[in-house]
Amino acid sequence: KALEVLNLKPIDNERLTLEKVKCLYLQDKLEQARNLLNTISTNTRDDFFNRSVYLEYARLEKIEGTYEEAMKYVHKAKQGEKDFVYVQALYEETKLNIKYGLFDKALESLQEMMTMHHPYEDEVYLMRGIIYQGKKQIQKATADYQIAVTSTDQNTKGTASFHLGTIMFAKGEFA
């Protein structure tokens, strides 16, 4: 529906184009999203907008590219003020480092994000639990999963429950 609204009036506006990219990305239309993203200039005077474009490139590269390419765009998105784009870049950096098993780097960016105002609520505890589990720090992972299972977000709660359950199973705590 959002994409339909954005397409109602064919206005050549890069901000609207970026919103269309986000809609396509969320619909897993990655090729269309990338093609549209490639039409947006990052040479504007609006640093926030330029960094937002880099963030979308980072998200696409995280899915279909390489670690190095994705991190290149994450770092570009992080350059500037520690604003909402910066926080989102930290989130993407954390997820990317978790994906590639770089748990120390993931923990570093997550801990910075946790000191800032962010929209990720209990998901940060789920991510930190995954990081600690990857670092074989099971007691810390368990504590974070126990926080995450109280989340009101069903995806966070479900994933944390699964991870906590596998730890309990491995310990022989079948009940």
Side-chain angles (χ1 to χ4, degrees):
K1 292 287 183 192
L3 196 54
E4 286 176 22
V5 171
L6 289 168
N7 285 324
L8 284 177
K9 248 184 164 175
I11 300 172
D12 188 21
N13 180 316
E14 291 193 327
R15 291 181 191 284
L16 291 178
T17 302
L18 184 59
E19 292 306 314
K20 289 178 187 180
V21 167
K22 292 175 186 179
C23 290
L24 291 168
Y25 165 79
L26 291 171
Q27 292 177 329
D28 289 325
K29 296 178 180 177
L30 303 180
E31 187 177 338
Q32 285 178 272
R34 181 176 296 282
N35 290 339
L36 197 54
L37 189 58
N38 287 336
T39 68
I40 301 174
S41 172
T42 54
N43 292 326
T44 71
R45 292 183 184 187
D46 185 347
D47 185 55
F48 185 88
F49 175 77
N50 295 338
R51 292 170 45 238
S52 297
V53 173
Y54 291 134
L55 184 61
E56 292 310 313
Y57 273 115
R59 288 176 172 149
L60 287 172
E61 290 297 333
K62 182 179 78 176
I63 293 172
E64 59 182 14
T66 65
Y67 174 82
E68 293 80 16
E69 280 297 305
M71 287 304 290
K72 176 180 81 173
Y73 288 115
V74 164
H75 290 299
K76 285 183 176 188
K78 284 174 61 179
Q79 291 176 0
E81 290 185 42
K82 291 191 176 186
D83 54 14
F84 187 66
V85 174
Y86 185 88
V87 171
Q88 288 182 309
L90 283 174
Y91 176 83
E92 294 301 333
E93 181 176 46
T94 301
K95 297 287 271 186
L96 192 61
N97 283 321
I98 290 171
K99 178 180 178 179
Y100 284 91
L102 302 170
F103 299 117
D104 289 332
K105 288 181 177 183
L107 185 59
E108 186 179 311
S109 55
L110 181 65
Q111 286 176 324
E112 180 181 358
M113 187 175 74
M114 290 176 82
T115 67
M116 307 170 87
H117 179 70
H118 61 80
Y120 302 108
E121 299 180 11
D122 297 326
E123 187 180 359
V124 294
Y125 295 102
L126 170 61
M127 291 190 303
R128 195 168 67 178
I130 292 168
I131 292 166
Y132 282 140
Q133 189 173 1
K135 292 169 63 74
K136 310 283 190 251
Q137 296 177 9
I138 303 304
Q139 190 172 3
K140 288 182 178 180
T142 300
D144 280 333
Y145 290 145
Q146 287 173 336
I147 294 169
V149 297
T150 65
S151 178
T152 57
D153 178 70
Q154 292 304 310
N155 288 332
T156 299
K157 184 176 185 170
T159 305
S161 296
F162 171 78
H163 285 286
L164 188 57
T166 58
I167 287 174
M168 296 297 118
F169 183 83
K171 287 181 171 182
E173 297 176 18
F174 301 120

